[in-house]
Amino acid sequence: MGDALRAAPSSAAFGAALVGEGLLVPMGVPGLYGRDERLEGIITGVDRLVLRAGAADGAEPLRFPPTIPRSVLERSDYLRSFPHLAGTVHGFAGGEPEHAALLDRLERGGRWWEGLPATEVVLTPAACYPVYPAISGTLPREGRLIDVCSDVFRHEPSDDPSRLQSFRMHEQVRAGTPEQCLAHRDRWVERGLALLQALDLPGEVQAANDPFFGRAGRMLASSQRERQLKLELMVPLGGVPTACASFNYHQDHFGSAFGIRTMRGVAHTACIGFGLERMALALLWRHGLKVERWPRPVRELIGA
Amino acid sequence: MGDALRAAPSSAAFGAALVGEGLLVPMGVPGLYGRDERLEGIITGVDRLVLRAGAADGAEPLRFPPTIPRSVLERSDYLRSFPHLAGTVHGFAGGEPEHAALLDRLERGGRWWEGLPATEVVLTPAACYPVYPAISGTLPREGRLIDVCSDVFRHEPSDDPSRLQSFRMHEQVRAGTPEQCLAHRDRWVERGLALLQALDLPGEVQAANDPFFGRAGRMLASSQRERQLKLELMVPLGGVPTACASFNYHQDHFGSAFGIRTMRGVAHTACIGFGLERMALALLWRHGLKVERWPRPVRELIGA
């Protein structure tokens, strides 16, 4: 990293440096970027580390698209907790007269999209959402452990390069008894800290809360934090500690919503997730924008 | 592949076999599926073959998210040609009263999404779309060659496993003079046929057209086909020849829309794209659902 950036460590200066260096390609909307081969190489390296650790636990990899059925959002309570972050997908369903009217609105610079009905799909809000309906029913005694990674969407336009509207999340989703879920979460908290050490990244684990909407949301957030249901791996990025991974114990929330059961009753679930772009940006922030000058052990681990 | 499937070679039977074998995981909406580790391995193998061939030409890899700015769709004429396939992304922008009203509609089973304004993003309709604004301006003498791969969306719900709403497309996008574009396309037509041979897949290249909307669209389609602006690599899949790759010469369409120029005037563009899921399904259809029984040279090439 240049001395100028060290002297003025802000996310804006860091974002500008990433764009100037060609690692991020602005797309013209806040929070949407293309990534060049070097940045993609770092992201792929982090992705591989999470995949391998999951494989050591016997995780089953499944890959889902960046869209899920609208019904999954409806059943999961997402709209109660995070309406401001959701993205619904709408499509044209008319004939030629409606098409002519749409083009007419477009040409006048009007809201051509008004009245487009919602399709049956929405954008995936977190990589784990398609897992819960897929494992509905009674689990085997040992529970299930699924490795997922997908593009996810959060409608929160921002110029901060660490707050993207579309980013990749690699998760390990556990379903089973409360003990199985807590053991999974605790194992990954240890692993997350060990991974930071191996990557020569400073950081720590903290109790956290999801960005629940509104006044009722503030109470949910404070209860989640008190009960330590959400922990985050905070790593400096652009001058401020930034959540690069989270460790979440949902209790029976998804088990109830999607009919997931153990022999004893409603299954519990837990998921741990790494934000791949954030991990990559934290590495660039720590070790500099020239990957070839990174410490050799870090480069080897990332495969860059 | 089982004898039953050989005896009744239909896309429905093939889809059922893929689901039965666990390669595809239905998500509850037509055209959305999860993929297991085996299918993902085949997809990744095809992806790597396209990437390597592009690298041999000196292609620059860029990776974009599955969403692009709405303005890119507006400027590209996509809404004139393919309104029925587009997906706009809408989001909640209200306060607590509007949220309460939304939840009320949701609980009554009503259209809770009505009135949600469009966001600034839409789903990526083809992997090449974010490239054109990114290379706006005057090209170097040798033009540009960009390698992109992303999830793309087409709003065409179907039970045919080869017609997905969300799928991955790997493209090589050329921008420059007409000669540079046609040479790129012709090189990839040869490569596509050689790739089929190496993978022991039957198939051929045919003139084709995009699925333009409406009556005016039928004329555009027939003109495109006559002028051989679109060629497709047709491979049997589920008993019918299916387009697994396409080779497209856009003339000055995107150059005009996005201000891409050569020293001589408006730049021309061409893109070739492989549908990764379709290539993988064509391999499974041809060589059977048990990858370990595939011919050794094919397995080695795919890395499965």
Side-chain angles (χ1 to χ4, degrees):
Chain A
M1 205 162 315
D3 287 342
L5 196 51
R6 285 240 176 273
S10 72
S11 61
F14 185 47
L18 291 165
V19 169
E21 187 70 23
L23 290 148
L24 286 181
V25 180
M27 291 176 69
V29 159
L32 282 199
Y33 292 94
R35 307 169 296 265
D36 86 339
E37 191 173 16
R38 293 165 296 168
L39 177 54
E40 193 66 13
I42 304 168
I43 289 172
T44 307
V46 176
D47 186 51
R48 201 184 300 121
L49 292 173
V50 179
L51 181 72
R52 278 190 200 149
D57 292 343
E60 270 175 80
L62 282 180
R63 291 294 174 267
F64 291 96
T67 44
I68 57 171
R70 176 156 47 75
S71 63
V72 174
L73 210 65
E74 291 166 349
R75 290 166 69 187
S76 68
D77 245 12
Y78 193 86
L79 294 160
R80 182 172 299 281
S81 299
F82 316 110
H84 53 308
L85 299 177
T88 53
V89 178
H90 297 226
F92 175 75
E96 304 213 28
E98 293 79 12
H99 185 218
L102 184 154
L103 291 179
D104 189 53
R105 288 200 299 278
L106 175 63
E107 268 152 34
R108 293 160 186 265
R111 303 180 177 195
W112 56 265
W113 58 83
E114 277 193 349
L116 294 183
T119 66
E120 283 189 296
V121 312
V122 297
L123 288 172
T124 306
C128 61
Y129 275 77
V131 172
Y132 307 113
I135 62 171
S136 166
T138 302
L139 298 173
R141 185 178 303 273
E142 67 276 16
R144 291 285 290 272
L145 174 59
I146 313 281
D147 172 304
V148 281
C149 181
S150 73
D151 285 275
V152 303
F153 180 80
R154 303 276 169 91
H155 186 225
E156 44 180 354
S158 161
D159 288 323
D160 179 348
S162 70
R163 192 165 294 283
L164 301 175
Q165 292 204 65
S166 183
F167 58 99
R168 267 172 304 169
M169 191 186 282
H170 196 142
E171 294 198 44
Q172 303 281 337
V173 187
R174 188 78 173 100
T177 63
E179 297 74 26
Q180 288 168 339
C181 291
L182 284 165
H184 173 70
R185 187 187 68 168
D186 295 346
R187 182 180 310 122
W188 271 100
V189 167
E190 290 307 312
R191 261 193 198 135
L193 289 167
L195 181 62
L196 291 195
Q197 196 160 30
L199 294 172
D200 188 17
L201 288 173
E204 57 181 350
V205 171
Q206 280 181 3
N209 59 263
D210 286 307
F212 294 101
F213 181 79
R215 261 176 310 161
R218 279 198 287 282
M219 287 190 294
L220 289 171
S222 110
S223 153
Q224 185 186 35
R225 189 180 277 269
E226 264 166 37
R227 293 151 78 202
Q228 303 231 354
L229 296 178
K230 186 179 192 74
L231 304 172
E232 285 180 339
L233 193 61
M234 306 298 292
V235 187
L237 196 177
V240 287
T242 303
C244 288
S246 72
F247 312 93
N248 308 281
Y249 178 34
H250 315 125
Q251 300 178 307
D252 64 359
H253 174 74
F254 289 107
S256 294
F258 293 97
I260 314 169
R261 292 179 299 275
T262 65
M263 310 294 182
R264 290 195 267 162
V266 176
H268 281 220
T269 61
C271 72
I272 68 88
F274 283 80
L276 297 183
E277 282 83 355
R278 281 193 178 174
M279 284 292 294
L281 295 190
L283 282 162
L284 289 162
W285 174 257
R286 166 72 170 167
H287 299 301
L289 300 189
K290 306 285 186 196
V291 178
E292 65 278 12
R293 296 191 205 150
W294 286 10
R296 179 186 295 266
V298 176
R299 264 189 294 139
E300 285 178 355
L301 207 52
I302 292 296
Chain B
M1 203 161 314
D3 286 342
L5 196 51
R6 286 241 175 270
S10 72
S11 62
F14 185 48
L18 292 165
V19 170
E21 187 70 23
L23 289 149
L24 285 181
V25 180
M27 290 176 70
V29 159
L32 282 198
Y33 293 93
R35 307 169 296 265
D36 85 340
E37 192 174 15
R38 292 164 297 170
L39 177 53
E40 192 65 14
I42 304 167
I43 289 171
T44 307
V46 176
D47 185 51
R48 200 184 301 121
L49 293 174
V50 179
L51 181 72
R52 277 190 202 149
D57 292 342
E60 269 177 81
L62 283 180
R63 291 293 174 267
F64 292 96
T67 44
I68 57 171
R70 176 158 45 76
S71 62
V72 174
L73 210 64
E74 290 166 351
R75 289 166 68 189
S76 68
D77 245 12
Y78 193 86
L79 295 160
R80 181 172 299 281
S81 299
F82 316 109
H84 53 308
L85 300 177
T88 53
V89 178
H90 297 227
F92 176 75
E96 305 214 26
E98 293 79 11
H99 185 220
L102 183 153
L103 292 180
D104 189 52
R105 288 199 300 278
L106 175 63
E107 269 153 34
R108 294 162 185 263
R111 304 182 174 191
W112 56 265
W113 57 83
E114 279 194 346
L116 294 182
T119 67
E120 283 188 297
V121 312
V122 297
L123 289 172
T124 306
C128 60
Y129 275 76
V131 172
Y132 307 113
I135 63 171
S136 164
T138 302
L139 299 173
R141 186 177 303 270
E142 68 278 16
R144 290 285 289 271
L145 174 59
I146 313 280
D147 172 305
V148 282
C149 181
S150 74
D151 286 275
V152 303
F153 180 79
R154 303 276 169 91
H155 186 226
E156 43 179 356
S158 161
D159 288 323
D160 178 349
S162 71
R163 191 166 294 283
L164 301 174
Q165 292 203 66
S166 183
F167 58 97
R168 269 174 302 168
M169 191 185 282
H170 196 143
E171 294 197 45
Q172 303 282 337
V173 187
R174 187 79 172 101
T177 63
E179 297 73 27
Q180 288 167 338
C181 291
L182 284 166
H184 172 70
R185 188 188 68 168
D186 294 346
R187 183 180 308 122
W188 272 99
V189 166
E190 290 306 312
R191 263 194 196 135
L193 289 167
L195 182 61
L196 291 195
Q197 195 160 30
L199 294 172
D200 189 17
L201 288 173
E204 57 180 353
V205 171
Q206 281 181 3
N209 58 264
D210 286 307
F212 293 102
F213 182 79
R215 260 176 311 161
R218 280 198 287 280
M219 288 190 295
L220 289 171
S222 110
S223 153
Q224 186 186 34
R225 191 180 276 268
E226 264 166 38
R227 294 151 77 202
Q228 304 232 354
L229 296 178
K230 184 179 193 74
L231 304 172
E232 286 180 338
L233 192 62
M234 305 298 292
V235 188
L237 196 177
V240 288
T242 304
C244 288
S246 72
F247 312 93
N248 308 281
Y249 178 35
H250 315 124
Q251 300 178 311
D252 65 358
H253 175 74
F254 289 107
S256 293
F258 294 98
I260 313 168
R261 292 179 298 276
T262 66
M263 311 293 181
R264 288 196 268 161
V266 177
H268 281 221
T269 61
C271 71
I272 68 90
F274 283 80
L276 298 183
E277 282 83 354
R278 282 195 177 173
M279 283 293 293
L281 295 189
L283 282 161
L284 288 162
W285 173 257
R286 166 72 170 169
H287 298 302
L289 300 188
K290 306 285 186 195
V291 178
E292 64 278 12
R293 296 191 205 150
W294 286 10
R296 179 186 294 266
V298 176
R299 266 189 293 139
E300 285 178 355
L301 207 52
I302 292 296

